[in-house]
Every structure is written in C-alpha cells, then in structure tokens.
Amino acid sequence: MKSLLPPPGPARLLTVITMVMTLGQGLWMALSAIYAVTVLHLTVGQLGLSVSVAAAIVLLFSIPLGHLADRAGPRTVQMWSFLVLAVLTCALLFATDFWPYLVIVSAQGIAYRSGRSARKAMIAGLIPSADRVTILAQVRAASNASVSVGACLAGLVLAVGSRAAYQGAVGFIAVTFLVTGLLTIKEPPVPPVPSSAGPALAVLRDVPFLTFAALDGLLTTHAILLDVVLPLWVLQHTGAPRWMSAAILLVNTILVVAVQTRAARGADHPAAAARASFQGAGCVAAACLVFALSDGAALVPACLLLVVGAVAHALGEVRQAAGSWGIAFDLAPDHAQGQYQATHAMGADIGKMIAPAVFTWLVLDHGALGWVVLAVAFALLGAAMPAIVARALRKRSPSAVAQETDAGEVTAAG
C-alpha cells in the first residue's frame, strides 16, 4: 500500500482521503441496486427512473457546483459536501418507498458531484501543474485498490443477505463519507477566487474546451465495455464460461493498480497529454478488434482472446485517463478550475447515459461487426484529440493568459 501513495505532504493526504471515500463508494456501487429492490422493495422500473432522474439533476447542477467550489473555496465545499452526503446516506435507512428514495438519491448525487468538483479544484490549488497528472495517477491506482476492498465487503454482505446486513453496510458507507469530510479539515486551504478574477460560468464560452469535454466523454465510455457489454458478450457470443467476465474485471483492476502511475509519465503538458489520449484510444480500439475475434470461438481460444483483449483495454484505459487529466487541467484557467473540471465530468456523464444502449445494440445484435464499428469510433475520437488541443492553445489570447496569471497571483497572495 505504501508504494501506491505519493510522498508525505498534501498529495498523500489527498490520496488517503480519496481512498476512504472510494471504500464507501465501492461498497455502495455493488449494493445500491440490490438494496433498493431487496430492502426498500422498489420495482426495477422505479429503480431505473430514480437513477435517470438523479443523473439528469446532477447534470443540471454540475457547472454551478463547480463554480461554487471556485468562489467559496474548494476545501470548504468538499468538507460540507461529504458531511451532507453522510447524513443523506443515513437517511436511506429511514426511506420506505419510491418518493423518499428518489429525493434522497437525487440529493446524494448533487452532494457527491459537488465534492468531486471541489476535490479536482483542490488538486489544482495544492499540486504544481507539472505534478498533477502523476499525482492523479497515484490517486487512481490507490482508489482502485480501495474500491476493490469495498466490492469484497459487498460480497460478504450479499452472502449474508439479511436486512440487518444491508442496513449495516449503509451505515458503514455513511461513516466513510463522514470520515472523508472530517479528514478534509486537515488539508491545506485553497483560497477562494474573487469574483473579479473572471466572468461567472466562463467555461460556457470556451468552445474548444466544451468540444474536448464532449469528445473525451464519448471516449471514456470504453469503461461500459467491461461493466455492461462484455458480460453479455461472453454469455451469448462465445464458448467461454460465464466467470470469464469476472476474470476480465480482475485483470483490469490489477493492471490499473500496477501500471497507472507509469502510464501517466510524459502526459504533463497539453500536447503530450493529447498524444497519450490518442495512444490510449488506439489500445482500446485494438482491444475491440480482439474481442471481435472471439465471436463464436470455442472455450480455450475464446478465453485467450478475451484475456488479451482485457490487457489491451486496460493499457488503453490507463493511458487515455492520463491524457484526459492532463488536457482537462492544462486547458482550464487557474481561476476557474472548479467549473472547468465539473464540465469535464459532465462530458463523461453524458457519454455514460448514451453508451449502454448503443453499445449493447451494436455488439449483441451485430456481433463482430459491432466491435469493428466501436474500434473505428474510438480510433477516430483519439485521433481528434491532438487537433482539439492545438486549437484550444491557439485560441488562448494574450489577455486571457494575463488574466489567468493575475488570478493565480491573487490566489497565491491569499
């Protein structure tokens, strides 16, 4: 575990806080749907509607919440977001039917997005720009290990299967969010940016960044392949046993923890980050082509192809993630990191809303051809990144650069 953590200082504390948060998040991701259906007795339709409504509300509030982190100070916003999230999670223990559940999970989504945007602004304020991608890589590797622990705890809860076990897990999740909020107090403060530092919601005028956020959001949908598409593909189109989908997730988790930090090297400025994103997209495209070859394959060749594809996908994932972070931080002005990082997250959210239906239709209904189409799409998205970043850099006017410098000096003085 020590090897996963950054050196002592703000980066290590930030990583530890993230690990505590993702421990609860990993447990909740594995249990939330089952808790709603088993304990609260929601129908599948009610569960799906609540998830969709909560996602739409989060999208609506994302940019204002990021702007709040800039103006109120990201440490304050992160602390209160997770303290509120702890209370809301406890409130689930008292929910009895659909409407209270809908209100609670919608409020949870707002609180979580607020804390996440503030966390990114904290990174921008506490970590030098040359180190941000490396630190984020270490944070991601460590949090993946923490999420895995949470998923294992969920397995124990599911094995017990009692109402008390489910409610105990929800209580434990609330405690992790409470500890996250309290530990935030120990972080160095990042001063709020005064309103004079720039126009409110300036990101909505930054067309190159909005273009990047949209296309990068589509590119990050490759995660849907592991979570949704491959388990069904293994069952319906290959001779591999159904447990291969779990083996693929295990390969992915191990590789992300092991190589994410190495994969982030050299992605610490915009042009290099764009190349990293392109390289990652190329690996994901190659993985799609390998998965296509498993169509109708017998047990042994299907298993081999699925593992090879999983390795290629994991390598693409870690490299693309590094490129995505580098671009998102470097194209955002220092006085508006909160709203820019929230907008970047919105792109991923929109992609996740679209991708499951499209991907399953392509792959499950069209077989190998669907994988080929996805490979081409990911390759094109990756190839577009260098051009988008180059355009964004050209659009930076001298006055905008001066404004960003002045805002940074104001923040440092504060």
Side-chain angles (χ1 to χ4, degrees), residues 393-406:
L393 294 176
R394 288 196 300 271
K395 288 287 185 179
R396 283 186 174 179
S397 65
S399 60
V401 174
Q403 183 187 60
E404 181 176 339
T405 302
D406 292 342

Side-chain angles (χ1 to χ4, degrees), residues 10-22:
R12 172 169 287 191
L13 179 57
L14 190 146
T15 304
V16 170
I17 292 173
T18 303
M19 291 179 70
V20 174
M21 183 269 291
T22 52

Side-chain angles (χ1 to χ4, degrees), residues 12 16 39 61 63 67 97 102 112 134 154 161 200 214 230 250 277 336 348 413:
R12 172 169 287 191
V16 170
V39 177
F61 280 91
I63 297 178
H67 183 63
D97 54 30
L102 175 62
Y112 179 76
T134 299
L230 275 169
L250 180 61
S277 189

Side-chain angles (χ1 to χ4, degrees), residues 69-359:
D70 292 325
R71 293 295 183 259
R75 189 180 73 168
T76 299
V77 172
Q78 178 175 292
M79 179 189 70
W80 283 109
S81 294
F82 281 101
L83 293 178
V84 170
L85 190 57
V87 174
L88 291 169
T89 303
C90 286
L92 284 172
L93 297 172
F94 304 96
T96 55
D97 54 30
F98 170 68
W99 288 109
Y101 179 81
L102 175 62
V103 171
I104 291 170
V105 296
S106 298
Q108 277 184 316
I110 293 173
Y112 179 76
R113 174 49 55 84
S114 177
R116 179 180 173 181
S117 299
R119 183 171 66 92
K120 289 290 187 71
M122 287 286 289
I123 293 172
L126 296 176
I127 308 299
S129 58
D131 298 330
R132 288 171 188 165
V133 173
T134 299
I135 295 302
L136 273 170
Q138 292 174 307
V139 169
R140 187 168 190 255
S143 61
N144 265 265
S146 186
V147 167
S148 299
V149 174
C152 290
L153 293 176
L156 296 176
V157 174
L158 292 171
V160 175
S162 67
R163 181 183 182 90
Y166 288 124
Q167 291 181 327
V170 171
F172 178 80
I173 293 164
V175 170
T176 65
F177 293 148
L178 174 63
V179 173
T180 299
L182 294 177
L183 284 176
T184 300
I185 300 173
K186 296 177 65 65
E187 292 188 288
V190 175
V193 178
S195 58
S196 60
L201 306 186
V203 68
L204 297 178
R205 309 177 189 182
D206 193 335
V207 175
F209 189 88
L210 293 175
T211 303
F212 155 70
L215 295 186
D216 188 68
L218 292 176
L219 186 52
T220 56
T221 57
H222 57 69
I224 301 297
L225 300 178
L226 298 187
D227 297 338
V228 178
V229 178
L230 275 169
L232 299 174
W233 174 260
V234 169
L235 288 177
Q236 298 180 16
H237 285 265
T238 76
R242 64 179 60 199
W243 52 259
M244 271 305 298
S245 58
I248 290 170
L249 288 173
L250 180 61
V251 168
N252 177 268
T253 300
I254 292 172
L255 284 176
V256 168
V257 173
V259 305
Q260 179 66 82
T261 303
R262 293 191 186 107
R265 292 173 182 169
D268 50 0
H269 59 86
R275 287 194 298 271
S277 189
F278 172 57
Q279 292 161 358
C283 288
V284 172
C288 290
L289 296 178
V290 174
F291 291 140
L293 295 176
S294 69
D295 192 8
L299 189 149
V300 174
C303 289
L304 290 175
L305 288 168
L306 290 170
V307 170
V308 171
V311 171
H313 181 279
L315 295 177
E317 176 184 339
V318 294
R319 189 63 173 159
Q320 183 272 325
S324 177
W325 300 328
I327 298 170
F329 275 112
D330 287 335
L331 295 188
D334 287 339
H335 69 272
Q337 284 285 351
Q339 61 176 283
Y340 270 72
Q341 300 312 319
T343 304
H344 181 226
M346 278 183 65
D349 289 339
I350 293 172
K352 290 174 184 176
M353 293 175 64
I354 298 171
V358 175
F359 286 8

